[in-house]
Amino acid sequence: PEGKEHVMRGRYREVVPPERLVMTFAWEDAEGRAGHETMVEVLFEDIAGRTRLTFRHGTFESSEACDQHLQGWTRFMERLADYLADGRAVDA
C-alpha cells in the first residue's frame, strides 16, 4: 500500500506435478543480497474433485519473522480464495 517494492528469491528444489512444490525463499535487501533462507512446501491433494492445499514455511530466524510471514501468507491465501470464489479462475 505504501508503494514499496519487496523482492525475494528462491530455487525450486522439488516439483512433482500435480502433487508437490518445494522451494527456497529469501528476501533481498536494497543491494540485492539475500537474507535468511527458508523452505516452502506446497502440497496439492485431490479430494472428491476439489483440491486441498497444504502449505508449510520455515524455519525462521525469529518468532517476529515467523509472525510477519504468517500475516503475509494469510492475506495471500484470503485473496486467492476471493479470486477463485469470484469465478475469475479458468479450469485447466
Side-chain angles (χ1 to χ4, degrees):
E2 297 85 32
K4 294 181 180 179
E5 185 174 285
H6 300 279
V7 179
M8 60 81 57
R9 68 168 77 171
R11 294 188 188 271
Y12 286 103
R13 297 294 177 103
E14 189 175 351
V15 178
V16 182
E19 300 170 8
R20 174 181 168 98
L21 292 173
V22 179
M23 64 199 113
T24 61
F25 182 108
W27 291 110
E28 286 187 6
D29 66 14
E31 288 77 40
R33 294 180 302 241
H36 179 76
E37 187 174 85
T38 57
M39 192 71 67
V40 175
E41 177 183 44
V42 186
L43 305 175
F44 304 92
E45 183 181 1
D46 183 347
I47 299 178
R50 299 184 68 168
T51 303
R52 173 184 290 163
L53 184 145
T54 302
F55 185 90
R56 297 184 183 110
H57 188 177
T59 298
F60 299 99
E61 59 187 341
S62 69
S63 60
E64 179 183 65
C66 180
D67 291 343
Q68 290 171 345
H69 279 87
L70 178 60
Q71 290 173 5
W73 285 119
T74 298
R75 283 193 305 266
F76 168 78
M77 295 295 179
E78 289 169 348
R79 288 179 180 169
L80 177 61
D82 289 345
Y83 176 80
L84 295 172
D86 285 347
R88 291 180 276 176
V90 177
D91 289 357

Coordinates of all heavy atoms in Angstrom, one line a residue:
P1 N 0.8 -1.2 0.0 CA 0.0 0.0 0.0 C 0.8 1.3 0.0 O 0.4 2.3 -0.5 CB -0.8 -0.1 1.3 CG -0.8 -1.5 1.7 CD 0.5 -2.1 1.1
E2 N 2.0 1.2 0.6 CA 2.9 2.4 0.6 C 3.7 2.6 -0.7 O 4.5 3.4 -0.8 CB 3.9 2.3 1.8 CG 3.2 2.3 3.2 CD 2.7 0.9 3.6 OE1 3.4 -0.1 3.2 OE2 1.7 0.8 4.2
G3 N 3.6 1.6 -1.6 CA 4.3 1.7 -2.8 C 5.7 1.1 -2.8 O 6.5 1.4 -3.6
K4 N 6.0 0.4 -1.7 CA 7.3 -0.2 -1.6 C 7.4 -1.5 -2.4 O 6.4 -2.2 -2.6 CB 7.6 -0.6 -0.1 CG 7.7 0.6 0.8 CD 8.0 0.1 2.2 CE 8.0 1.3 3.2 NZ 8.3 0.8 4.5
E5 N 8.6 -1.7 -3.0 CA 8.9 -2.9 -3.7 C 9.5 -3.9 -2.8 O 10.5 -3.6 -2.1 CB 9.8 -2.6 -4.9 CG 10.0 -3.8 -5.8 CD 10.8 -3.4 -7.0 OE1 10.2 -2.8 -7.9 OE2 12.0 -3.8 -7.1
H6 N 9.0 -5.1 -2.8 CA 9.6 -6.2 -2.0 C 10.1 -7.3 -2.9 O 9.3 -7.8 -3.7 CB 8.5 -6.8 -1.0 CG 8.0 -5.8 -0.1 ND1 8.6 -5.4 1.1 CD2 6.8 -5.1 -0.1 CE1 7.9 -4.5 1.7 NE2 6.8 -4.3 1.0
V7 N 11.4 -7.6 -2.8 CA 12.0 -8.6 -3.7 C 12.4 -9.8 -3.0 O 13.0 -9.7 -1.9 CB 13.2 -7.9 -4.5 CG1 13.9 -8.9 -5.4 CG2 12.8 -6.7 -5.2
M8 N 12.1 -10.9 -3.5 CA 12.5 -12.2 -2.9 C 13.1 -13.1 -3.9 O 13.0 -12.8 -5.1 CB 11.4 -12.9 -2.2 CG 10.2 -13.3 -3.0 SD 10.3 -14.8 -4.0 CE 10.7 -16.1 -2.8
R9 N 13.8 -14.1 -3.5 CA 14.4 -15.0 -4.4 C 14.3 -16.4 -3.8 O 14.1 -16.6 -2.7 CB 15.9 -14.7 -4.7 CG 16.8 -14.9 -3.5 CD 18.3 -14.9 -3.8 NE 18.7 -13.5 -4.0 CZ 20.0 -13.2 -4.1 NH1 20.9 -14.2 -4.1 NH2 20.4 -12.0 -4.3
G10 N 14.5 -17.4 -4.7 CA 14.5 -18.8 -4.3 C 14.7 -19.7 -5.5 O 14.8 -19.3 -6.6
R11 N 14.9 -21.0 -5.1 CA 15.1 -22.0 -6.1 C 14.1 -23.2 -5.9 O 13.9 -23.5 -4.7 CB 16.5 -22.5 -6.1 CG 17.6 -21.5 -6.4 CD 18.9 -22.2 -6.5 NE 20.0 -21.3 -6.7 CZ 20.4 -20.8 -7.9 NH1 19.9 -21.3 -9.0 NH2 21.4 -20.0 -7.9
Y12 N 13.6 -23.7 -7.0 CA 12.8 -24.9 -6.8 C 13.7 -26.0 -6.5 O 14.7 -26.2 -7.1 CB 12.0 -25.1 -8.1 CG 10.9 -24.2 -8.3 CD1 11.0 -23.1 -9.2 CD2 9.7 -24.3 -7.6 CE1 9.9 -22.2 -9.4 CE2 8.6 -23.4 -7.8 CZ 8.8 -22.4 -8.7 OH 7.7 -21.5 -8.8
R13 N 13.3 -26.8 -5.5 CA 14.1 -27.9 -5.0 C 13.4 -29.2 -5.5 O 14.0 -30.2 -5.7 CB 14.2 -27.9 -3.5 CG 15.0 -26.8 -3.0 CD 16.5 -26.9 -3.5 NE 17.3 -25.8 -3.1 CZ 18.2 -25.8 -2.1 NH1 18.3 -26.9 -1.4 NH2 18.9 -24.7 -1.8
E14 N 12.1 -29.2 -5.6 CA 11.3 -30.4 -5.9 C 10.0 -29.9 -6.6 O 9.3 -29.1 -6.1 CB 11.0 -31.2 -4.7 CG 10.4 -32.5 -5.0 CD 10.2 -33.4 -3.7 OE1 10.7 -33.0 -2.6 OE2 9.6 -34.4 -3.8
V15 N 9.7 -30.5 -7.8 CA 8.5 -30.3 -8.5 C 7.9 -31.6 -8.9 O 8.5 -32.3 -9.7 CB 8.7 -29.4 -9.7 CG1 7.4 -29.2 -10.5 CG2 9.3 -28.0 -9.4
V16 N 6.8 -32.0 -8.3 CA 6.1 -33.3 -8.6 C 4.7 -33.0 -9.0 O 3.8 -32.9 -8.2 CB 6.1 -34.2 -7.4 CG1 5.5 -35.5 -7.7 CG2 7.5 -34.4 -6.8
P17 N 4.5 -32.7 -10.3 CA 3.1 -32.4 -10.8 C 2.2 -33.6 -10.6 O 2.6 -34.7 -10.8 CB 3.3 -32.1 -12.3 CG 4.7 -31.9 -12.5 CD 5.4 -32.7 -11.4
P18 N 1.0 -33.5 -10.2 CA 0.3 -32.3 -9.7 C 0.3 -32.3 -8.1 O -0.7 -31.8 -7.6 CB -1.1 -32.4 -10.3 CG -1.3 -33.8 -10.2 CD 0.0 -34.5 -10.5
E19 N 1.3 -32.8 -7.5 CA 1.2 -33.1 -6.1 C 2.0 -32.1 -5.2 O 1.5 -31.9 -4.0 CB 1.8 -34.5 -5.8 CG 1.0 -35.6 -6.5 CD 1.7 -36.9 -6.4 OE1 2.7 -37.1 -5.6 OE2 1.2 -37.9 -7.0
R20 N 3.2 -31.6 -5.6 CA 4.0 -31.0 -4.6 C 5.0 -30.0 -5.2 O 5.6 -30.3 -6.3 CB 4.8 -32.2 -4.0 CG 5.9 -31.9 -3.0 CD 6.5 -33.2 -2.6 NE 7.7 -33.1 -1.9 CZ 7.8 -33.0 -0.6 NH1 6.8 -33.2 0.2 NH2 9.0 -32.9 0.0
L21 N 5.2 -28.9 -4.5 CA 6.3 -28.0 -4.9 C 7.1 -27.7 -3.6 O 6.5 -27.5 -2.5 CB 5.7 -26.6 -5.3 CG 5.0 -26.6 -6.6 CD1 4.3 -25.2 -6.8 CD2 5.9 -26.8 -7.8
V22 N 8.4 -27.7 -3.7 CA 9.3 -27.4 -2.6 C 10.3 -26.3 -3.2 O 10.9 -26.6 -4.2 CB 10.0 -28.6 -2.1 CG1 11.0 -28.2 -0.9 CG2 9.1 -29.7 -1.6
M23 N 10.4 -25.2 -2.4 CA 11.3 -24.2 -2.9 C 11.9 -23.4 -1.7 O 11.4 -23.4 -0.6 CB 10.6 -23.2 -3.8 CG 9.5 -22.4 -3.1 SD 8.3 -21.8 -4.3 CE 6.9 -22.8 -3.8
T24 N 13.1 -22.8 -2.0 CA 13.7 -21.9 -1.0 C 13.1 -20.5 -1.1 O 12.5 -20.2 -2.2 CB 15.2 -21.8 -1.2 OG1 15.5 -21.3 -2.5 CG2 15.9 -23.2 -1.0
F25 N 13.2 -19.7 -0.1 CA 12.6 -18.4 0.0 C 13.6 -17.5 0.8 O 13.9 -17.8 1.9 CB 11.3 -18.5 0.7 CG 10.5 -17.2 0.7 CD1 9.4 -16.9 0.0 CD2 10.9 -16.2 1.6 CE1 8.7 -15.7 0.0 CE2 10.2 -15.0 1.7 CZ 9.1 -14.8 0.9
A26 N 13.9 -16.3 0.2 CA 14.8 -15.4 1.0 C 14.4 -14.0 0.4 O 14.4 -13.7 -0.8 CB 16.2 -15.7 0.8
W27 N 14.2 -13.0 1.3 CA 14.0 -11.6 0.9 C 15.4 -11.1 0.5 O 16.4 -11.5 1.1 CB 13.5 -10.8 2.1 CG 12.1 -11.1 2.5 CD1 11.7 -11.8 3.6 CD2 10.9 -10.9 1.7 NE1 10.3 -11.9 3.6 CE2 9.8 -11.4 2.4 CE3 10.7 -10.3 0.5 CZ2 8.5 -11.3 1.9 CZ3 9.4 -10.2 0.0 CH2 8.3 -10.7 0.7
E28 N 15.4 -10.1 -0.4 CA 16.6 -9.4 -0.8 C 16.6 -8.0 -0.2 O 15.6 -7.4 0.0 CB 16.7 -9.2 -2.3 CG 17.0 -10.5 -3.1 CD 17.2 -10.2 -4.6 OE1 17.2 -9.0 -5.0 OE2 17.4 -11.2 -5.3
D29 N 17.8 -7.6 0.2 CA 17.9 -6.2 0.7 C 18.1 -5.2 -0.4 O 18.0 -5.6 -1.6 CB 19.1 -6.1 1.7 CG 20.5 -6.3 1.2 OD1 20.6 -6.3 -0.1 OD2 21.4 -6.5 1.9
A30 N 18.2 -4.0 -0.1 CA 18.3 -2.9 -1.2 C 19.5 -3.1 -2.1 O 19.4 -2.7 -3.3 CB 18.4 -1.5 -0.5
E31 N 20.5 -3.8 -1.7 CA 21.7 -4.1 -2.5 C 21.6 -5.4 -3.3 O 22.5 -5.8 -3.9 CB 23.0 -4.0 -1.7 CG 23.4 -2.6 -1.2 CD 22.5 -2.1 -0.1 OE1 22.2 -2.9 0.8 OE2 22.2 -1.0 -0.1
G32 N 20.5 -6.1 -3.1 CA 20.3 -7.4 -3.8 C 20.9 -8.6 -3.1 O 20.9 -9.6 -3.7
R33 N 21.3 -8.4 -1.9 CA 21.8 -9.5 -1.1 C 20.6 -10.3 -0.4 O 19.7 -9.7 0.1 CB 22.8 -9.1 0.0 CG 24.0 -8.4 -0.6 CD 24.9 -8.0 0.6 NE 24.2 -7.0 1.4 CZ 24.6 -5.8 1.6 NH1 25.7 -5.3 1.1 NH2 23.9 -5.0 2.4
A34 N 20.7 -11.6 -0.5 CA 19.7 -12.5 0.1 C 19.8 -12.5 1.6 O 20.9 -12.6 2.1 CB 19.8 -13.9 -0.4
G35 N 18.7 -12.5 2.3 CA 18.7 -12.6 3.7 C 18.5 -14.1 4.1 O 18.9 -15.0 3.3
H36 N 18.0 -14.3 5.3 CA 17.9 -15.6 5.8 C 17.0 -16.5 4.9 O 15.9 -16.1 4.5 CB 17.2 -15.6 7.2 CG 17.0 -16.9 7.8 ND1 18.0 -17.6 8.4 CD2 15.8 -17.6 8.0 CE1 17.5 -18.8 8.9 NE2 16.2 -18.8 8.7
E37 N 17.5 -17.7 4.5 CA 16.8 -18.5 3.6 C 15.9 -19.5 4.4 O 16.3 -20.1 5.3 CB 17.8 -19.3 2.7 CG 17.1 -20.1 1.6 CD 18.1 -20.7 0.7 OE1 18.6 -21.8 1.1 OE2 18.4 -20.1 -0.3
T38 N 14.7 -19.7 3.9 CA 13.7 -20.6 4.5 C 13.3 -21.6 3.4 O 13.6 -21.4 2.2 CB 12.5 -19.9 5.1 OG1 11.9 -19.1 4.1 CG2 12.9 -19.0 6.2
M39 N 12.5 -22.5 3.8 CA 12.0 -23.5 2.8 C 10.4 -23.5 2.8 O 9.8 -23.4 3.9 CB 12.4 -24.9 3.2 CG 12.2 -26.0 2.2 SD 13.3 -25.9 0.8 CE 14.9 -26.2 1.5
V40 N 9.9 -23.5 1.6 CA 8.4 -23.5 1.4 C 8.0 -24.8 0.8 O 8.7 -25.3 -0.2 CB 8.0 -22.3 0.5 CG1 6.5 -22.4 0.2 CG2 8.3 -21.0 1.1
E41 N 7.0 -25.5 1.3 CA 6.5 -26.7 0.7 C 5.0 -26.5 0.5 O 4.3 -26.1 1.4 CB 6.7 -27.9 1.7 CG 6.1 -29.2 1.2 CD 6.3 -30.3 2.2 OE1 6.0 -30.1 3.4 OE2 6.6 -31.4 1.8
V42 N 4.5 -26.8 -0.7 CA 3.1 -26.7 -1.0 C 2.6 -28.1 -1.6 O 3.2 -28.6 -2.5 CB 2.8 -25.6 -2.1 CG1 1.3 -25.4 -2.3 CG2 3.5 -24.3 -1.7
L43 N 1.6 -28.6 -0.9 CA 1.1 -29.9 -1.3 C -0.3 -29.7 -1.9 O -1.1 -28.9 -1.3 CB 1.0 -30.9 -0.1 CG 2.3 -31.1 0.6 CD1 2.1 -31.9 1.9 CD2 3.4 -31.7 -0.3
F44 N -0.6 -30.5 -2.9 CA -2.0 -30.4 -3.6 C -2.5 -31.8 -3.5 O -1.9 -32.8 -4.0 CB -1.8 -30.0 -5.0 CG -1.2 -28.7 -5.2 CD1 0.2 -28.6 -5.4 CD2 -1.9 -27.5 -5.1 CE1 0.9 -27.4 -5.5 CE2 -1.2 -26.3 -5.2 CZ 0.1 -26.2 -5.5
E45 N -3.8 -32.0 -3.0 CA -4.4 -33.3 -2.8 C -5.8 -33.2 -3.4 O -6.6 -32.3 -3.0 CB -4.4 -33.6 -1.3 CG -5.0 -35.0 -1.0 CD -5.0 -35.3 0.5 OE1 -4.6 -34.4 1.3 OE2 -5.4 -36.4 0.8
D46 N -6.1 -34.1 -4.3 CA -7.5 -34.2 -4.8 C -8.4 -34.9 -3.8 O -8.1 -36.0 -3.4 CB -7.4 -35.0 -6.1 CG -8.8 -35.1 -6.8 OD1 -9.8 -34.8 -6.2 OD2 -8.8 -35.5 -8.0
I47 N -9.4 -34.2 -3.4 CA -10.4 -34.8 -2.5 C -11.8 -34.6 -3.1 O -12.3 -33.5 -3.2 CB -10.4 -34.2 -1.1 CG1 -9.0 -34.4 -0.5 CG2 -11.5 -34.7 -0.2 CD1 -8.8 -33.8 0.8
A48 N -12.3 -35.7 -3.7 CA -13.7 -35.6 -4.3 C -13.8 -34.5 -5.3 O -14.8 -33.8 -5.3 CB -14.8 -35.5 -3.2
G49 N -12.8 -34.4 -6.2 CA -12.9 -33.4 -7.2 C -12.5 -32.0 -6.8 O -12.6 -31.0 -7.6
R50 N -12.1 -31.8 -5.6 CA -11.7 -30.5 -5.1 C -10.2 -30.6 -4.7 O -9.7 -31.7 -4.5 CB -12.5 -30.0 -3.9 CG -14.0 -29.9 -4.3 CD -14.8 -29.4 -3.2 NE -14.4 -28.0 -3.0 CZ -15.1 -27.2 -2.2 NH1 -16.2 -27.6 -1.6 NH2 -14.8 -26.0 -2.0
T51 N -9.6 -29.5 -4.5 CA -8.1 -29.5 -4.2 C -7.9 -29.0 -2.8 O -8.3 -27.9 -2.4 CB -7.3 -28.7 -5.2 OG1 -7.5 -29.2 -6.5 CG2 -5.8 -28.8 -4.8
R52 N -7.3 -29.9 -2.0 CA -6.8 -29.4 -0.6 C -5.4 -29.0 -0.8 O -4.5 -29.7 -1.4 CB -6.8 -30.6 0.4 CG -6.2 -30.1 1.7 CD -6.1 -31.2 2.7 NE -7.5 -31.5 3.1 CZ -7.8 -32.6 3.8 NH1 -6.9 -33.6 4.0 NH2 -9.1 -32.8 4.2
L53 N -5.1 -27.7 -0.4 CA -3.8 -27.2 -0.4 C -3.2 -27.2 1.0 O -3.8 -26.6 1.9 CB -3.8 -25.7 -1.0 CG -2.5 -25.1 -1.2 CD1 -2.6 -24.2 -2.4 CD2 -2.1 -24.2 0.0
T54 N -2.0 -27.8 1.2 CA -1.3 -27.7 2.4 C -0.1 -26.9 2.2 O 0.7 -27.2 1.3 CB -1.0 -29.2 2.9 OG1 -2.2 -29.9 3.0 CG2 -0.3 -29.2 4.3
F55 N 0.2 -26.0 3.1 CA 1.3 -25.0 2.9 C 2.1 -25.0 4.2 O 1.6 -24.8 5.3 CB 0.6 -23.6 2.7 CG 1.7 -22.6 2.4 CD1 2.0 -22.3 1.1 CD2 2.2 -21.8 3.4 CE1 3.0 -21.3 0.8 CE2 3.1 -20.8 3.1 CZ 3.5 -20.6 1.8
R56 N 3.4 -25.2 4.0 CA 4.4 -25.1 5.1 C 5.5 -24.2 4.8 O 6.0 -24.2 3.6 CB 4.9 -26.5 5.4 CG 3.9 -27.5 5.9 CD 4.5 -28.9 6.2 NE 3.5 -29.8 6.6 CZ 3.2 -30.9 5.8 NH1 3.8 -31.1 4.7 NH2 2.2 -31.7 6.2
H57 N 5.9 -23.4 5.7 CA 7.0 -22.5 5.5 C 7.9 -22.4 6.8 O 7.3 -22.1 7.9 CB 6.5 -21.1 5.1 CG 7.5 -20.1 4.7 ND1 7.2 -18.9 4.2 CD2 8.9 -20.2 4.6 CE1 8.3 -18.2 3.9 NE2 9.3 -19.0 4.1
G58 N 9.2 -22.6 6.7 CA 10.0 -22.5 7.9 C 11.5 -22.8 7.5 O 11.7 -23.0 6.3
T59 N 12.4 -22.8 8.2 CA 12.5 -22.4 9.6 C 12.9 -20.9 9.7 O 13.9 -20.6 9.0 CB 13.5 -23.3 10.3 OG1 13.0 -24.6 10.3 CG2 13.7 -22.9 11.8
F60 N 12.3 -20.1 10.5 CA 12.6 -18.7 10.6 C 13.6 -18.4 11.6 O 13.9 -19.1 12.5 CB 11.3 -18.0 10.9 CG 10.2 -18.2 9.9 CD1 9.2 -19.1 10.1 CD2 10.2 -17.5 8.7 CE1 8.2 -19.4 9.1 CE2 9.2 -17.8 7.7 CZ 8.3 -18.7 8.0
E61 N 14.3 -17.2 11.4 CA 15.3 -16.8 12.3 C 14.8 -16.2 13.6 O 15.6 -16.0 14.5 CB 16.3 -15.9 11.6 CG 15.7 -14.6 11.0 CD 16.7 -13.8 10.2 OE1 17.9 -14.0 10.3 OE2 16.2 -12.9 9.5
S62 N 13.5 -15.9 13.6 CA 12.9 -15.3 14.8 C 11.4 -15.5 14.8 O 10.8 -15.7 13.8 CB 13.2 -13.8 14.9 OG 12.5 -13.1 13.9
S63 N 10.8 -15.4 16.0 CA 9.4 -15.5 16.1 C 8.7 -14.3 15.4 O 7.6 -14.5 14.8 CB 8.9 -15.6 17.5 OG 9.3 -14.5 18.3
E64 N 9.4 -13.2 15.4 CA 8.8 -12.0 14.7 C 8.8 -12.2 13.2 O 7.8 -11.9 12.5 CB 9.7 -10.7 15.0 CG 9.1 -9.5 14.3 CD 10.0 -8.3 14.5 OE1 11.2 -8.3 14.1 OE2 9.5 -7.3 15.1
A65 N 9.8 -12.8 12.6 CA 9.9 -13.1 11.2 C 8.8 -14.1 10.9 O 8.1 -14.0 9.8 CB 11.2 -13.6 10.8
C66 N 8.6 -15.1 11.7 CA 7.5 -16.1 11.5 C 6.2 -15.4 11.5 O 5.3 -15.7 10.6 CB 7.6 -17.2 12.6 SG 6.3 -18.5 12.5
D67 N 5.9 -14.6 12.5 CA 4.6 -13.8 12.5 C 4.4 -13.0 11.3 O 3.3 -12.9 10.8 CB 4.5 -13.0 13.8 CG 4.5 -13.8 15.1 OD1 4.2 -15.0 15.0 OD2 4.7 -13.2 16.1
Q68 N 5.4 -12.3 10.8 CA 5.3 -11.5 9.6 C 4.9 -12.3 8.4 O 4.1 -11.9 7.6 CB 6.6 -10.7 9.4 CG 6.8 -9.6 10.4 CD 8.1 -8.9 10.3 OE1 9.1 -9.4 9.7 NE2 8.3 -7.8 11.0
H69 N 5.6 -13.4 8.2 CA 5.3 -14.3 7.1 C 3.9 -14.9 7.2 O 3.2 -15.0 6.2 CB 6.3 -15.4 7.0 CG 7.6 -15.0 6.3 ND1 8.6 -14.4 7.0 CD2 8.0 -15.1 5.0 CE1 9.6 -14.2 6.2 NE2 9.2 -14.5 5.0
L70 N 3.5 -15.3 8.4 CA 2.1 -15.8 8.7 C 1.1 -14.7 8.2 O 0.1 -15.1 7.5 CB 1.9 -16.2 10.1 CG 0.5 -16.7 10.5 CD1 0.2 -17.9 9.7 CD2 0.5 -16.9 12.0
Q71 N 1.3 -13.5 8.6 CA 0.4 -12.4 8.2 C 0.4 -12.3 6.7 O -0.7 -12.2 6.0 CB 0.8 -11.1 8.8 CG 0.5 -11.1 10.3 CD 1.1 -9.8 11.0 OE1 1.6 -8.9 10.3 NE2 1.0 -9.7 12.3
G72 N 1.5 -12.3 6.0 CA 1.6 -12.1 4.6 C 1.0 -13.3 3.8 O 0.2 -13.1 2.9
W73 N 1.3 -14.5 4.2 CA 0.7 -15.7 3.6 C -0.8 -15.8 3.8 O -1.5 -16.2 2.9 CB 1.4 -16.9 4.0 CG 2.8 -17.1 3.4 CD1 4.0 -17.2 4.0 CD2 3.1 -17.2 2.0 NE1 5.0 -17.4 3.1 CE2 4.5 -17.4 1.9 CE3 2.3 -17.2 0.8 CZ2 5.1 -17.5 0.6 CZ3 3.0 -17.3 -0.4 CH2 4.4 -17.5 -0.5
T74 N -1.2 -15.4 5.0 CA -2.7 -15.4 5.3 C -3.4 -14.4 4.4 O -4.4 -14.8 3.8 CB -2.9 -15.0 6.8 OG1 -2.3 -16.0 7.6 CG2 -4.4 -15.0 7.1
R75 N -2.9 -13.2 4.2 CA -3.5 -12.2 3.2 C -3.5 -12.8 1.8 O -4.5 -12.7 1.1 CB -2.8 -10.9 3.3 CG -3.1 -10.1 4.5 CD -2.7 -8.6 4.4 NE -1.2 -8.5 4.1 CZ -0.3 -8.3 5.0 NH1 -0.6 -8.3 6.3 NH2 1.0 -8.2 4.7
F76 N -2.4 -13.4 1.4 CA -2.3 -14.0 0.1 C -3.4 -15.1 -0.1 O -4.1 -15.1 -1.1 CB -0.9 -14.6 -0.2 CG -0.8 -15.5 -1.4 CD1 -0.8 -14.9 -2.6 CD2 -0.9 -16.9 -1.3 CE1 -0.7 -15.7 -3.8 CE2 -0.8 -17.7 -2.4 CZ -0.8 -17.1 -3.7
M77 N -3.5 -16.0 0.9 CA -4.5 -17.1 0.8 C -5.9 -16.6 0.7 O -6.8 -17.1 0.0 CB -4.3 -18.1 1.9 CG -3.0 -18.9 1.9 SD -2.8 -19.9 0.4 CE -1.2 -20.6 0.7
E78 N -6.2 -15.5 1.5 CA -7.5 -14.9 1.5 C -7.8 -14.3 0.1 O -8.9 -14.5 -0.4 CB -7.6 -13.9 2.6 CG -7.7 -14.4 4.0 CD -7.5 -13.4 5.1 OE1 -7.1 -12.2 4.8 OE2 -7.7 -13.8 6.3
R79 N -6.9 -13.6 -0.4 CA -7.1 -13.0 -1.8 C -7.2 -14.1 -2.8 O -8.0 -14.0 -3.8 CB -5.9 -12.1 -2.1 CG -5.9 -10.9 -1.3 CD -4.8 -10.0 -1.7 NE -4.8 -8.8 -0.9 CZ -3.8 -7.9 -0.8 NH1 -2.7 -8.1 -1.5 NH2 -4.0 -6.8 -0.1
L80 N -6.5 -15.2 -2.7 CA -6.6 -16.3 -3.6 C -8.0 -16.9 -3.5 O -8.6 -17.2 -4.6 CB -5.5 -17.4 -3.4 CG -5.6 -18.6 -4.2 CD1 -5.5 -18.3 -5.7 CD2 -4.5 -19.6 -3.8
A81 N -8.5 -17.1 -2.3 CA -9.8 -17.7 -2.1 C -10.9 -16.8 -2.7 O -11.8 -17.2 -3.4 CB -10.1 -17.9 -0.6
D82 N -10.7 -15.5 -2.5 CA -11.7 -14.5 -3.1 C -11.6 -14.6 -4.7 O -12.7 -14.6 -5.3 CB -11.4 -13.1 -2.7 CG -11.7 -12.8 -1.2 OD1 -12.4 -13.6 -0.6 OD2 -11.2 -11.8 -0.7
Y83 N -10.5 -14.6 -5.2 CA -10.3 -14.8 -6.7 C -11.0 -16.0 -7.2 O -11.7 -15.9 -8.2 CB -8.8 -14.8 -7.0 CG -8.5 -15.0 -8.5 CD1 -8.6 -13.9 -9.3 CD2 -8.1 -16.2 -8.9 CE1 -8.3 -14.1 -10.7 CE2 -7.8 -16.4 -10.3 CZ -7.9 -15.3 -11.2 OH -7.6 -15.5 -12.5
L84 N -10.8 -17.1 -6.6 CA -11.4 -18.4 -7.0 C -12.9 -18.3 -6.8 O -13.6 -18.8 -7.7 CB -10.8 -19.5 -6.3 CG -9.3 -19.8 -6.5 CD1 -8.8 -20.9 -5.6 CD2 -9.0 -20.1 -8.0
A85 N -13.4 -17.7 -5.7 CA -14.8 -17.6 -5.5 C -15.5 -16.7 -6.5 O -16.7 -17.0 -6.8 CB -15.0 -17.1 -4.1
D86 N -14.8 -15.7 -7.0 CA -15.4 -14.8 -8.0 C -15.6 -15.4 -9.4 O -16.1 -14.8 -10.2 CB -14.5 -13.5 -8.1 CG -14.7 -12.6 -6.9 OD1 -15.6 -12.8 -6.1 OD2 -13.9 -11.7 -6.8
G87 N -15.0 -16.7 -9.5 CA -15.1 -17.3 -10.8 C -14.2 -16.8 -11.9 O -14.4 -17.1 -13.1
R88 N -13.2 -16.0 -11.5 CA -12.3 -15.5 -12.5 C -11.2 -16.5 -12.9 O -10.5 -16.3 -13.9 CB -11.6 -14.2 -11.9 CG -12.6 -13.1 -11.8 CD -11.9 -11.9 -11.3 NE -11.8 -12.0 -9.9 CZ -11.2 -11.1 -9.1 NH1 -10.6 -10.1 -9.6 NH2 -11.3 -11.2 -7.8
A89 N -11.1 -17.5 -12.1 CA -10.1 -18.6 -12.4 C -10.6 -19.4 -13.5 O -11.8 -19.7 -13.7 CB -9.8 -19.4 -11.2
V90 N -9.7 -19.9 -14.4 CA -10.1 -20.7 -15.5 C -9.7 -22.2 -15.2 O -8.6 -22.4 -14.8 CB -9.3 -20.2 -16.8 CG1 -9.6 -21.1 -18.0 CG2 -9.7 -18.8 -17.1
D91 N -10.6 -23.1 -15.5 CA -10.3 -24.5 -15.3 C -9.2 -24.9 -16.3 O -9.2 -24.5 -17.5 CB -11.5 -25.4 -15.6 CG -12.5 -25.2 -14.5 OD1 -12.3 -24.5 -13.5 OD2 -13.6 -25.8 -14.6
A92 N -8.2 -25.6 -15.8 CA -7.1 -26.1 -16.7 C -7.5 -27.4 -17.3 O -8.2 -28.2 -16.9 CB -5.9 -26.2 -15.8

